[in-house]
Amino acid sequence: MSTSTDFPALLRLGIAGVALLSLSACTSTTPTDAESPSPPAASVPSSSGSEDGANEEDQAWAQALRRAPSLQDTDRPVVEMVRYIEIADFGKVMVDCLNEAGFPDVALTADGEGYSTQAGDAAQAEALALAEYTCKTQFPVDPRFLEPLTEAQIRMIYDYSVGPLTDCLEAQGHVISNPPAFEVFRDQYPQGRSWSPIDDATAALSSQESIELIKICPQLPEGLYG
């Protein structure tokens, strides 16, 4: 079963972030279910981590344990951070890192900003979980991208979405639905249910076509994070 890691679905959760990518690792013919390492839809983490106060590294380890229940806390490797990364680079960095770690089939998802995995047997799931933890710890997302979005930032996204982004997508031949009022968009944003012209444009596209479109019409406005 394929699982995905989202880092703009984070944007939709009221977190300053963008990203959803797909990777296909672990080519076992008897795949097992692996829980998605994506943040829970009900939570809106801040720079200090999740609602229970866990930091990024602890959250990454908790995700590894959910992916591979056979792991124990004593299996947690000591990993040295290499550098912080931009939220928009999350997918590419993770794919490159996991490829180098021995998962050559990992690839970007449709929007080019996240990744997804296909779990294999227990041993493969454990190896992948440890590799993901290592990569996320080596290349954590800069904490400023994990702060909850302010109303001013949500307004900036809304204005960009109803203006330049919609114009760009329509110029590429896509039909975009009418946007809601800002107040509706703002109130729905933290729950991930807000209107998005990208969703309209990519609904019938292939993964590669979506990636190419988003290169032409970026999902987020420049300067969102200052």
Side-chain angles (χ1 to χ4, degrees), residues 12 23 27 54 59 83 86 94 107 126-127 129 133-134 160 164 168 194 216 220 224:
R12 303 287 189 94
L23 71 123
T27 56
Q59 291 183 70
R83 61 180 172 84
E86 300 283 309
M94 286 296 295
E126 185 173 302
Y133 171 76
T134 298
Y160 173 73
C168 180
S194 59
I216 298 170
L220 297 174
L224 180 63

Side-chain angles (χ1 to χ4, degrees), residues 41-188:
S43 67
V44 181
S46 68
S47 60
S48 62
S50 66
E51 291 178 318
D52 62 2
N55 59 28
E56 263 191 271
E57 187 174 339
D58 289 339
Q59 291 183 70
W61 182 246
Q63 291 168 350
L65 293 177
R66 291 195 294 271
R67 177 182 289 283
S70 58
L71 289 174
Q72 304 294 322
D73 282 334
T74 53
D75 297 318
R76 183 172 178 171
V78 176
V79 181
E80 184 175 348
M81 187 183 82
V82 176
R83 61 180 172 84
Y84 282 124
I85 63 172
E86 300 283 309
I87 193 76
D89 296 332
F90 172 76
K92 184 179 186 306
V93 170
M94 286 296 295
V95 169
D96 289 346
C97 183
L98 287 166
N99 285 168
E100 292 177 9
F103 299 93
D105 294 330
V106 171
L108 294 180
T109 51
D111 61 8
E113 295 174 340
Y115 72 98
S116 64
T117 63
Q118 187 170 29
D121 59 24
Q124 290 172 321
E126 185 173 302
L128 177 58
L130 289 172
E132 284 186 296
Y133 171 76
T134 298
C135 290
K136 290 176 182 178
T137 304
Q138 287 179 319
F139 303 102
V141 173
D142 191 315
R144 70 193 174 96
F145 294 111
L146 304 180
E147 291 284 355
L149 292 176
T150 65
E151 181 165 337
Q153 285 175 306
I154 295 175
R155 165 63 80 172
M156 190 173 180
I157 293 169
Y158 177 82
D159 290 345
Y160 173 73
S161 296
V162 301
L165 179 54
T166 291
D167 292 344
C168 180
L169 295 171
E170 289 180 338
Q172 298 300 313
H174 299 283
V175 177
I176 305 302
S177 60
N178 292 328
F182 170 70
E183 291 74 18
V184 174
F185 180 87
R186 177 199 61 203
D187 293 345
Q188 292 179 340

